[in-house]
Amino acid sequence: MNRFLFSAASLVLLAASAPPAQPPVAAQAAAEDPFLWLEEIEGDRALAQVKTWNAATEDMLTKDPKFDAYRSRARAILDDEQQIATPDQVVGDRVLNLWRDANNPRGLWRVSPLPAYRAGTPQWRTVIDVDALGKAEGKSWVWHGADCLAPDYRRCLVSLSPGGTDADVVREFDLESGRFVDGGFTLPEAKSNIAWVDRDTLLVVTDYGPESLTASGYGRIAKLWKRGTPLSAARTVYEGEKGDVSVTPVAVQDGVRRWTFVNRGKTFWTSEHRLLTTAGALVPLPLPQDADFQDVIGGRLIAKLQSPLDAGGRRFPEGALIAYDLEPIAAGRGAVPELVMAPTARQAIEEVAATDNVLWVKALEDVSGKLFALRRDQAGRWTAAPAALPANSTIHLLSTAGKSDLAFATVEGMLTPPALYAIGTDGTPARVQALPAKFDAKQFSVEQRFATSRDGTRIPYFLVRRKGTRGAVPALIHAYGGFRAAQTPGYLTGQPYRAGPLGMFWVEEGNAYVLANIRGGGEYGPQWHRSVLRENRQKSFDDLHAVAEDLIRTGVSAKGRIGISGRSNGGVLVGAALTQRPDLYSAVISGSPLHDMKRYSHLLAGASWVGEYGDPDKPEDWAFLSAYSPYQNLKPGVKYPAVFFYSSTKDDRVHPGHARKMAARLGEYGNRFYFHEYLEGGHSVGADHAEDAKRAALLMAYLKRELGAAK
């Protein structure tokens, strides 16, 4: 059977209906971009086109003789009750968890006593059945989390999203009675940020009307809202500017004391931080604007530096953790920072969380995880003790228990299923739960290799394939390359991100799977990210090309047999790679992508990313953005590899128009493509495991069609 040619089918609908009459400015924009109508997220014409593309993709790929088997196996893995019951929050002497399985696709929010959970024998009590709640209320609720107020943790602010969008509804809930509070705090659907000040007071940033939002669509006004009063009566304590990214309230429980802050996000990477005093005043913190607020312990604010800092007669290196004493700051006297921890050249501090007496720090060392327990002595010196967790593993610091000074962390590898550990103050881990293997790991090998990018930088990547493989086989490379997000090698059932267990299916059939740690992430600290910002973005694309070429040079794969995968920011990456090196790649998976870098800052949350990419409305920035913007760099007469686009209509972060327009332009130029847009799921694309399993099966069928099978 001939491979499906989307270009013909996709243009049928384009020619079938003429666009409506437009005002002059809109008409000019439409003339410059004939597919602008695909940005109408819920537009009848746009959705009709989406449904046509979806149907064509499913019709083709579900014919794969193993499609049903892939989908069924993926669903079984995702719904398996043998999964880590993660400690999403530890609230006093209890653990909270959201549990999803075949019978509860949207989840059960439940609670267990901490001692039973720590012993590996949790005693769960269901608090909210999200599926049942949605059915009773006629809503497609997706769980967005809960914030429970210390020290008794009885009252919680529960966030529920309709269909998985970033916007959600907030409702006050009583954890003891298991009921929403009659007349309690409630916020309508919006992109809200809320923090408890005390039992009867919230610090609220939400949509108070059009002028209350930033250009990025987030709230910019923080108000103190008292119980029993309407939101309209809340007192404004801070206003950011329209050009800011957002204003965010933050509350931290530090032993018996609660600290409340207001953070003004000027750009995605710069912020101003203020402490809300007990008198209701806002006091600026002396943090550098590019430093990252982490936590509070023992009255000291912990922050991570993104650039060197000269203060108090000494220099603190970038990537280091520093501490400020909050008491003198609150009193208006200021404070001098002290060094908490400085990473080595091969390390990057990635995750930080405090208990009452211990600061827990997860770091990467050549992309392998390490966990440290830090304490401060009476002389003001911080000492770090490493936790005795398995070496050469991916570690995630999940949560901490304040009074118990416990940390909970998962440990996994590409061939090693996740295990959950509780780590005490002496660094000794106790295994709480370990998952059984989902595949026979003995038949595979995993190794870390390094490619050399165009400018000589060594780029690490992880390679998984069958032991004893001889000759070139199809290879799939997944990468991200932005926003300081390190790509760590997790168990293959979850690889690539939001497409698992595609990675497992892929290597089981004799192919190679690669996770590339290109620049733009946080694998080696601030410089690894900073080196590819704005006009230097091409370096991350060069890194991806270097990894692909290294696979060819070493005989792992060959031209015509290499596919690439990326989502969100990774969509920019694979889109640029597609247009720059159509000779090098033969399959491209583009999930929830950015592709039109001319208009991205005008679409949904796009304005918030100008600090990462640049401002296309400024000619000097568009000069470098235009050099790689995927949508603008597609050329007629060029044969591009067939792209698989997947996205969500309900994505209110990255506009689904990026994928739609890129697909339409490829079709216009006579190129094949595959397309699947889910109606729900938001930016994560997938409101439940059924959608996730279907996506893994579709992608596997797609890769086999485009890259062939291993010999």
Side-chain angles (χ1 to χ4, degrees):
M1 179 181 289
N2 292 330
R3 290 177 175 172
F4 184 70
L5 187 67
F6 264 90
S7 55
S10 64
L11 290 175
V12 171
L13 187 58
L14 300 183
S17 58
Q22 298 170 317
V25 174
Q28 180 181 353
E32 296 173 356
D33 183 356
F35 300 117
L36 202 64
W37 57 273
L38 286 168
E39 292 181 5
E40 298 175 14
I41 296 177
E42 303 280 357
D44 291 342
R45 185 176 175 222
L47 286 181
Q49 179 66 90
V50 164
K51 291 175 181 177
T52 297
W53 287 339
N54 283 356
T57 293
E58 290 192 26
D59 182 63
M60 175 55 57
L61 295 180
T62 57
K63 289 183 172 68
D64 185 293
K66 297 180 68 175
F67 176 84
D68 287 337
Y70 292 139
R71 180 171 58 181
S72 296
R73 190 175 175 204
R75 182 69 184 272
I77 289 171
L78 293 168
D79 284 341
D80 192 348
E81 294 193 5
Q82 288 185 306
Q83 55 182 291
I84 298 289
T86 55
D88 301 333
Q89 289 177 280
V90 180
V91 291
D93 59 356
R94 293 170 293 181
V95 174
L96 296 172
N97 163 261
L98 182 75
W99 178 265
R100 297 168 65 194
D101 58 23
N103 296 322
N104 306 282
R106 297 298 173 92
L108 299 174
W109 190 45
R110 55 191 193 168
V111 60
S112 169
L114 175 58
Y117 180 87
R118 183 181 181 184
T121 56
Q123 300 167 4
W124 295 114
R125 173 175 64 89
T126 297
V127 182
I128 295 178
D129 182 329
V130 182
D131 296 272
L133 179 67
K135 184 177 180 179
E137 297 182 346
K139 298 286 188 179
S140 182
W141 289 132
V142 175
W143 183 257
H144 265 197
D147 178 14
C148 300
L149 176 63
D152 62 359
Y153 298 100
R154 176 166 182 165
R155 292 295 177 90
C156 304
L157 297 172
V158 168
S159 297
L160 296 164
S161 165
T165 63
D166 282 357
D168 49 36
V169 172
V170 180
R171 297 155 70 178
E172 187 176 4
F173 188 85
D174 189 295
L175 194 59
E176 295 303 320
S177 68
R179 301 175 62 88
F180 287 102
V181 178
D182 291 336
F185 289 117
T186 303
L187 285 174
E189 181 182 344
K191 292 182 179 180
S192 302
N193 285 300
I194 311 165
W196 289 102
V197 177
D198 56 44
R199 182 181 173 86
D200 296 315
T201 313
L202 298 182
L203 189 56
V204 180
V205 177
T206 191
D207 184 350
Y208 296 109
E211 293 305 311
S212 70
L213 303 179
T214 67
S216 300
Y218 299 104
R220 65 178 186 85
I221 301 174
K223 297 187 179 186
L224 281 174
W225 185 18
K226 292 291 185 179
R227 184 180 299 280
T229 65
L231 182 61
S232 59
R235 178 173 66 87
T236 298
V237 295
Y238 184 77
E239 286 194 33
E241 297 180 6
K242 188 78 172 177
D244 293 342
V245 171
S246 64
V247 170
T248 307
V250 177
V252 180
Q253 192 69 27
D254 175 27
V256 298
R257 180 157 185 181
R258 191 167 187 83
W259 300 92
T260 307
F261 306 88
V262 175
N263 296 344
R264 174 197 176 196
K266 298 178 66 176
T267 71
F268 203 91
W269 300 120
T270 58
S271 298
E272 293 176 352
H273 306 269
R274 291 169 172 83
L275 170 66
L276 181 66
T277 69
T278 54
L282 285 175
V283 179
L285 298 180
L287 285 179
Q289 290 196 5
D290 65 346
D292 293 335
F293 182 112
Q294 297 291 320
D295 213 325
V296 178
I297 180 173
R300 285 175 169 75
L301 182 148
I302 306 298
K304 182 168 68 172
L305 295 177
Q306 295 298 327
S307 57
L309 171 66
D310 294 310
R314 62 178 301 184
R315 165 159 282 211
F316 300 89
E318 68 177 26
L321 291 179
I322 59 173
Y324 288 92
D325 189 348
L326 286 172
E327 288 289 0
I329 294 174
R333 298 194 303 272
V336 175
E338 62 188 30
L339 181 66
V340 177
M341 180 178 179
T344 68
R346 295 167 54 209
Q347 288 180 337
I349 292 172
E350 191 177 30
E351 297 166 356
V352 178
T355 55
D356 284 4
N357 303 291
V358 178
L359 186 69
W360 297 92
V361 177
K362 179 279 189 84
L364 295 176
E365 187 168 301
D366 281 335
V367 202
S368 290
K370 293 183 179 297
L371 182 65
F372 299 92
L374 281 74
R375 286 178 175 270
R376 185 179 186 273
D377 62 24
Q378 293 183 347
R381 294 184 297 265
W382 292 81
T383 56
L389 293 170
N392 301 316
S393 300
T394 290
I395 296 172
H396 291 295
L397 179 58
L398 298 184
S399 60
T400 55
K403 291 182 179 179
S404 304
D405 283 324
L406 277 176
F408 288 98
T410 54
V411 178
E412 62 185 301
M414 293 181 118
L415 304 180
T416 305
L420 174 66
Y421 291 88
I423 303 98
T425 55
D426 62 355
T428 301
R431 195 167 68 179
V432 176
Q433 185 182 2
L435 296 188
K438 303 296 184 183
F439 57 89
D440 181 9
K442 295 191 298 296
Q443 60 182 314
F444 305 112
S445 65
V446 59
E447 54 185 309
Q448 185 182 37
R449 294 186 172 190
F450 291 82
T452 303
S453 195
R454 175 183 289 186
D455 63 0
T457 302
R458 295 174 76 238
I459 308 301
Y461 66 91
F462 292 89
L463 168 66
V464 186
R465 55 181 173 166
R466 282 191 184 277
K467 291 178 179 177
T469 297
R470 297 289 183 268
V473 298
L476 174 65
I477 308 169
H478 182 74
Y480 185 75
F483 292 92
R484 299 178 189 157
Q487 302 301 290
T488 51
Y491 197 47
L492 280 182
T493 56
Q495 294 282 336
Y497 178 66
R498 297 304 302 157
L502 174 62
M504 180 191 72
F505 293 157
W506 187 241
V507 299
E508 282 184 333
E509 297 198 6
N511 307 298
Y513 177 71
V514 172
L515 182 66
N517 302 114
I518 66 175
R519 282 173 288 183
E523 287 88 343
Y524 289 99
Q527 180 58 26
W528 197 251
H529 168 248
R530 191 168 56 243
S531 64
V532 300
L533 287 177
R534 292 173 46 82
E535 65 270 18
N536 294 312
R537 205 68 179 186
Q538 182 61 43
K539 292 179 181 178
S540 67
F541 312 148
D542 292 341
D543 293 352
L544 180 64
H545 302 330
V547 172
E549 289 168 339
D550 199 61
L551 296 179
I552 296 170
R553 181 184 64 81
T554 56
V556 171
S557 193
K559 276 192 176 183
R561 311 203 82 185
I562 297 177
I564 51 177
S565 164
R567 67 178 310 277
S568 193
N569 167 77
V572 181
L573 170 71
V574 298
L578 161 80
T579 59
Q580 293 179 6
R581 295 296 306 273
D583 63 308
L584 185 57
Y585 308 110
S586 298
V588 178
I589 297 173
S590 181
S592 304
L594 283 86
H595 283 316
D596 184 350
M597 302 306 287
K598 179 65 174 176
R599 284 189 46 75
Y600 87 91
S601 59
H602 298 276
L603 300 175
L604 299 177
S608 64
W609 311 319
V610 166
E612 180 84 6
Y613 301 120
D615 186 349
D617 293 336
K618 295 180 178 179
E620 61 271 26
D621 285 9
W622 178 239
F624 58 78
L625 283 163
S626 64
Y628 73 78
S629 180
Y631 185 59
Q632 282 76 22
N633 277 281
L634 288 172
K635 307 296 182 186
V638 177
K639 182 181 179 182
Y640 295 103
V643 182
F644 190 118
F645 299 97
Y646 72 83
S647 57
S648 167
T649 308
K650 292 293 186 181
D651 190 343
D652 54 352
R653 190 181 314 173
V654 176
H655 198 292
H658 285 279
R660 294 173 180 180
K661 295 199 305 178
M662 189 77 168
R665 177 59 53 82
L666 281 166
E668 178 189 27
Y669 291 164
N671 286 277
R672 297 179 302 110
F673 64 90
Y674 303 76
F675 187 95
H676 208 273
E677 181 178 308
Y678 297 80
L679 297 181
E680 292 191 324
H683 187 57
S684 63
V685 188
D688 55 45
H689 290 164
E691 294 181 4
D692 296 339
K694 182 178 182 179
R695 179 167 58 255
L698 289 172
L699 292 173
M700 184 63 186
Y702 157 74
L703 289 175
K704 288 163 60 180
R705 289 181 60 82
E706 298 304 322
L707 299 181
K711 296 180 179 178

